[in-house]
């Protein structure tokens, strides 16, 4: 919405899992000139945002370009059928550490990874995990890769979140921006 208000061409789509129930879906947002398909071609995403580390790895390895950036919530969610293919985890399954996930990215030459516990930020700032998406939106804006001013996003948030949650969601958004700025400052 904010990109369209800024005069950008925007195409979006959600790609649900075709064969696996309870698997994650992937949302694509493309903006720019001469865009004819809403689906980001594999290996060409400038920015991948993931709410969970293994999902970050799966989507990042598939879609991120070598110069792209991945923003990852580093709070793991126990995987069941979506990851293992069965209702029960195999006994030998061990969830990879964040360091291992970062190593996998590095092997794939995807080196621009921002990670923090966005779930914790959502609960701290908004009082609910339901604001995780707003924290991650703030993180994306904090990268300065999306050509929209934070104030424009704040207006869109105020116009779309449920009544009575505006201030909490704005705090979550600003905290997401701050987390990315802090992360990038440490890297510099």
């Amino acid at each position: 919405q904010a990109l369209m208000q800024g005069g950008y061409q925007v195409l979006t789509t959600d790609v649900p899992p075709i064969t696996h129930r309870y698997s994650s879906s992937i949302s694509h947002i493309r903006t720019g000139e001469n865009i004819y398909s809403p689906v980001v071609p594999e290996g060409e995403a400038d920015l991948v945002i993931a709410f969970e580390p293994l999902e970050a790895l799966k989507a990042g390895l598939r879609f991120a370009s070598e110069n792209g950036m991945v923003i990852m919530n580093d709070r793991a969610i126990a995987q069941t059928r979506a990851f293992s293919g069965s209702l029960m985890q195999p006994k030998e399954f061990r969830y990879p550490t964040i360091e291992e996930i970062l190593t996998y990215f590095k092997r794939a030459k995807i080196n621009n990874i921002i990670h923090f516990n966005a779930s914790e930020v959502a609960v701290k700032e908004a009082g609910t995990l339901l604001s995780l998406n707003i924290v991650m939106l703030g993180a994306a804006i904090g990268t300065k890769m999306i050509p929209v001013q934070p104030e424009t996003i704040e207006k869109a948030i105020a116009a779309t979140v449920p009544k009575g949650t505006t201030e909490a969601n704005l705090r979550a958004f600003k905290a997401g921006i701050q987390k990315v700025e802090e992360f990038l400052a440490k890297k510099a």
Side-chain angles (χ1 to χ4, degrees), residues 21-34:
R21 237 184 209 171
Y22 310 111
S23 290
S24 60
S25 62
I26 297 174
S27 298
H28 295 254
I29 302 171
R30 295 187 73 191
T31 186
E33 297 178 11
N34 302 319

Side-chain angles (χ1 to χ4, degrees), residues 76-154:
I77 298 172
Q79 300 288 310
T80 55
R81 183 182 186 116
F83 183 72
S84 68
S86 69
L87 291 176
M88 302 294 292
Q89 284 290 7
K91 289 185 180 178
E92 67 274 3
F93 177 75
R94 181 185 62 78
Y95 198 96
T97 66
I98 296 301
E99 292 73 26
E100 289 170 324
I101 289 173
L102 295 173
T103 298
Y104 292 132
F105 277 124
K106 191 173 275 189
R107 286 182 191 161
K109 296 183 175 35
I110 300 169
N111 296 308
N112 203 0
I113 313 295
I114 294 174
H115 62 94
F116 63 98
N117 190 335
S119 297
E120 183 179 274
V121 173
V123 171
K124 178 183 175 197
E125 297 298 333
T128 177
L129 193 55
L130 294 175
S131 291
L132 174 60
N133 58 338
I134 301 294
V135 172
M136 297 302 274
L137 175 61
I141 294 300
T143 67
K144 311 234 185 310
M145 293 179 71
I146 300 174
V148 177
Q149 294 299 312
E151 298 78 20
T152 304
I153 300 291
E154 289 172 12

